[in-house]
Amino acid sequence: MTEPLLAGALAEEATKKSGLIWVRGADGGTARPLWHVWHEGAAWLVGDGPVEQPFPEGLAAGARAEVSVRSKDKGGRVVEWTALVEEPAPRSEAWEAAVAELKGKRLNAPDGEGVVERWAAECRVLRLAPVTAHTELPSGSLAARPVASPATTREPVPDALPRLLFRRKRRR
């Protein structure tokens, strides 16, 4: 009985302290880092607008999402939890309360005080309510393979590089 309670408390505290959470939609695609705010027992997100963060595929009202929370100092995974995605109607009471919190955390908004109007017209505000928390983390890295790109090709190391890097200063 205490294990689910402790896991839920760990998920809440870790999410509150983290600046970003990694969210994977219902389709099981790639997880995206999203800034959020913890408000009234859930993580709230704003995005999918022309200037705001893009949400991962499959993040829709009524769907489930997987949330991974990482440590602020070391970057390692602390906890993962499953969330139920809710999308309150713009200008509803819950929406207004969450947007007031989100507005305070939004850095460098291009329209300053008009951000709330823009969010109501162009963006989606989502509530990720925790359903279950998983304290047993996977043993693998879960790192995605890099996308193929000509920028990732390696050239041989120039012959003079080791001499330049490891040249000792001569004593006089």
Side-chain angles (χ1 to χ4, degrees), residues 11-95:
E12 180 176 344
E13 281 303 309
T15 307
K16 279 181 185 178
K17 292 181 180 189
S18 177
L20 292 174
I21 54 176
W22 291 77
V23 181
R24 181 186 325 271
D27 65 349
T30 306
R32 285 189 175 261
L34 302 172
W35 70 271
H36 69 286
V37 69
W38 187 269
H39 177 66
E40 294 186 5
W44 288 81
L45 313 167
V46 63
D48 273 357
V51 202
E52 298 299 335
Q53 60 190 351
F55 289 150
E57 297 293 323
L59 203 59
R64 300 266 175 158
E66 291 296 319
V67 178
S68 179
V69 182
R70 297 182 176 274
S71 167
K72 230 176 173 176
D73 13 327
K74 301 291 183 186
R77 271 176 281 157
V78 175
V79 68
E80 291 182 347
W81 48 279
T82 305
L84 178 63
V85 181
E86 300 169 9
E87 187 170 359
R91 303 294 184 192
S92 66
E93 188 175 324
W95 188 92

Side-chain angles (χ1 to χ4, degrees), residues 150-166:
T152 59
T153 59
R154 267 192 88 150
E155 300 290 329
V157 176
D159 292 334
L161 186 61
R163 286 191 305 257
L164 292 172
L165 292 176
F166 301 112

Side-chain angles (χ1 to χ4, degrees), residues 92-104:
S92 66
E93 188 175 324
W95 188 92
E96 290 285 348
V99 163
E101 294 290 323
L102 286 163
K103 182 182 170 189

